[in-house]
Amino acid sequence: AAFATAGEDVLPAWVTASTGKPLIYVTFGTFFRHDAALASVIEGVRELDVRVAVTVGPHGDPDALGVQPKNVHVARYIPQGQLLPHCAAVVSHGGSGTFLAALAAELPQLCIPQAADQFFNAAAGARSGAGLALQPDEVDATTVREAVQRLLSDPVFAAAAQGVSKEIGAMPAPRAVADALAQRFG
């Protein structure tokens, strides 16, 4: 990804603060703009007793989402790999990078697909029990709030996410797969 970093970024202090409130990561990726959907998601989760980390991507404008309460932090970018270990759940578009990273990090997620493979990812996440999916026309503050509340309160989602994470961890490394393919077909 063009917006990847070398991993030297330092997380904002509010991410690592011990507040006792779960942190929800909200992102719709770095490529497509989905401001209306993102605004509905934020409206839905900001009323919960949680902290919210929202990223809008390199071309997004954090100020375009308006003034937010103290529990909502909007940024262009926060290193996902460093952020996820501090999170309790993820709300995203279901893009492959975010979707798989959240599963690998054992996080339940709400997927709100917008395009491309995101619909398949959202359906797979829901089938696995590791999350919930809302179609774009189902999204409003109430449906998002209820879905995230379910993810946080029903331990079945976290347990399923842990199971999928173990499956991911048991898979061979990409290099091993490439070598096996090269031996067989090369």
Side-chain angles (χ1 to χ4, degrees), residues 22-89:
L23 180 62
I24 309 301
Y25 176 39
V26 176
T27 183
F28 275 45
T30 59
F31 188 67
F32 293 107
R33 298 289 306 274
H34 303 289
D35 293 342
L38 191 57
S40 291
V41 169
I42 294 168
E43 183 183 348
V45 296
R46 70 183 175 199
E47 300 304 322
L48 295 171
D49 191 23
V50 299
R51 296 176 299 137
V52 183
V54 181
T55 57
V56 296
H59 305 295
D61 178 6
D63 294 331
L65 294 168
V67 176
Q68 298 297 327
K70 291 190 308 185
N71 65 320
V72 177
H73 302 274
V74 182
R76 281 194 171 88
Y77 174 77
I78 300 172
Q80 186 169 269
Q82 294 178 36
L83 177 63
L84 290 176
H86 299 278
C87 294

Side-chain angles (χ1 to χ4, degrees), residues 62-176:
D63 294 331
L65 294 168
V67 176
Q68 298 297 327
K70 291 190 308 185
N71 65 320
V72 177
H73 302 274
V74 182
R76 281 194 171 88
Y77 174 77
I78 300 172
Q80 186 169 269
Q82 294 178 36
L83 177 63
L84 290 176
H86 299 278
C87 294
V90 173
V91 179
S92 81
H93 58 316
S96 293
T98 301
F99 178 71
L100 292 172
L103 286 173
E106 302 182 354
L107 294 173
Q109 55 191 308
L110 170 60
C111 293
I112 303 170
Q114 304 293 306
D117 64 337
Q118 299 164 10
F119 292 92
F120 298 111
N121 294 339
R127 270 194 318 275
S128 74
L132 297 168
L134 289 173
Q135 296 307 305
D137 63 347
E138 298 174 315
V139 175
D140 62 32
T142 301
T143 58
V144 169
R145 185 179 309 107
E146 290 171 354
V148 172
Q149 189 60 53
R150 276 187 67 199
L151 291 177
L152 295 175
S153 64
D154 189 340
V156 72
F157 295 107
Q162 289 172 350
V164 173
S165 177
K166 286 185 173 112
E167 289 177 29
I168 291 170
M171 292 178 176
R175 183 69 184 176

